[in-house]
Amino acid sequence: MNKAVETLVQGPVTIVTLQRPDVRNAVDADTAQQLYAAFSAFEADASARVAVFHGAHGHFCAGWDLQAGARMAQQMQADVDPFATLDFSANDYGAPATPSGPAGPMGPSRLVLTKPVIAAISGAAVAGGMELALWCDMRVMEEDAYFGVYCRRFGVPLIDGGTVRLPRLIGMGHAMDLILTGRKVEAAEALQMGLCSRVVPTGQALRAAVQLAEQIAAFPQKTMLADRASAYAQWDLPLPQALHQEWQRGKACIAEGLQGAGRFAAGAGRHGKF
């Protein structure tokens, strides 16, 4: 197995980097497993607070490796099912992260982490690469980077959460525009529709994402993680139950909040200062 994924730990921030420059960081089966293992390790590391997901050599990820897909087509002609190991039941989703699965075709797309991940996007984040970016909590995008469901051109389906996360993030109208047309979405439009969180100058996405990760890692963690979990959990709940689970998670963090109130009373953080 070639080393296509590198992990660098900088204090509480873990940087996971795709390294396949010859295919614009497209993901094949080996790379998918390496990505899954990297984010499983991040989840298991008690000292790791925030991850930054980055693509080296000028591109975030060009999606699924279509050359590998062509080889799969040959297997299917020989009555071999190359997707058998990727099947999973709905009950598997959200299971504890382990290096053995359930991995998605692009790797970590079925993982439900308890800690935030920030995508640092340069160049192309298209097809499955866009799905990986959607899996992250936030997206920091360089001004000449772009999204797009480019797999539309070749009949390759979105099977790493794209049809699920995209409407939830930007609404059904915008999502249908992108899913049906496969068109290119540049950074300014992505920011306008809420597809990315920040736009930064070319070459600055990684630095900006790491700085953002360090800021998030410095907050009181129990409360921040409870609020994050509540925001994700509320999707499938009616309003009364959603509000109840928010209260239950927040109630467990009251002590941390009272400590923070004490710091404010002593003069810290006045006028919105961080």
Side-chain angles (χ1 to χ4, degrees):
M1 180 185 293
N2 294 324
K3 188 67 173 177
V5 177
E6 294 185 357
T7 299
L8 175 65
V9 176
Q10 294 184 180
V13 177
T14 298
I15 302 172
V16 177
T17 302
L18 265 172
Q19 292 271 11
R20 298 192 77 211
D22 53 323
V23 289
R24 293 190 174 187
N25 294 327
V27 172
D28 61 7
D30 286 345
T31 306
Q33 199 60 50
Q34 290 179 52
L35 282 173
Y36 187 97
F39 283 105
S40 296
F42 161 70
E43 175 72 8
D45 184 352
S47 66
R49 292 188 169 187
V50 185
V52 171
F53 190 0
H54 170 243
H57 311 291
H59 291 283
F60 180 72
C61 175
W64 187 46
D65 189 336
L66 294 183
Q67 296 184 32
R71 293 190 291 272
M72 283 186 174
Q74 294 175 347
Q75 290 180 311
M76 294 178 74
Q77 291 175 357
D79 293 327
V80 176
D81 182 2
F83 299 103
T85 60
L86 297 174
D87 285 338
F88 75 112
S89 71
N91 293 331
D92 292 330
Y93 185 73
T98 64
S100 60
M106 295 293 293
S109 57
R110 295 172 187 165
L111 276 176
V112 179
L113 302 184
T114 62
K115 299 179 282 191
V117 180
I118 302 170
I121 300 170
S122 56
V126 297
M130 181 175 175
E131 291 182 288
L132 287 178
L134 294 173
W135 171 74
C136 299
D137 295 88
M138 299 178 69
R139 286 148 294 281
V140 176
M141 195 171 184
E142 294 180 3
E143 57 191 0
D144 61 351
Y146 55 95
F147 290 116
V149 186
Y150 278 21
C151 50
R152 181 61 56 236
R153 300 169 297 164
F154 302 108
V156 177
L158 295 171
I159 51 178
D160 281 86
T163 66
V164 178
R165 294 187 176 105
L166 193 58
R168 292 185 178 195
L169 183 64
I170 62 174
M172 184 63 81
H174 285 311
M176 282 296 101
D177 178 10
L178 305 191
I179 290 170
L180 297 180
T181 69
R183 68 180 180 85
K184 182 178 184 179
V185 181
E186 296 180 340
E189 183 181 7
L191 182 64
Q192 182 274 327
M193 67 172 62
L195 189 51
C196 72
S197 312
R198 309 275 197 282
V199 173
V200 299
T202 299
Q204 295 298 310
L206 178 59
R207 179 182 178 184
V210 170
Q211 289 176 339
L212 182 59
E214 290 171 343
Q215 175 186 339
I216 294 171
F219 289 139
Q221 291 295 291
K222 188 175 182 181
T223 303
M224 185 271 291
L225 294 177
D227 287 348
R228 175 185 179 273
S230 175
Y232 280 119
Q234 61 82 28
W235 276 109
D236 300 321
L237 298 174
L239 181 60
Q241 286 90 331
L243 291 172
H244 179 71
Q245 66 88 26
E246 179 191 61
W247 161 244
Q248 291 296 320
R249 294 178 193 275
K251 183 171 64 174
C253 305
I254 291 297
E256 189 173 77
L258 293 178
Q259 291 173 1
R263 293 197 304 274
F264 177 81
R270 297 297 175 89
H271 308 296
K273 292 182 180 179
F274 278 75

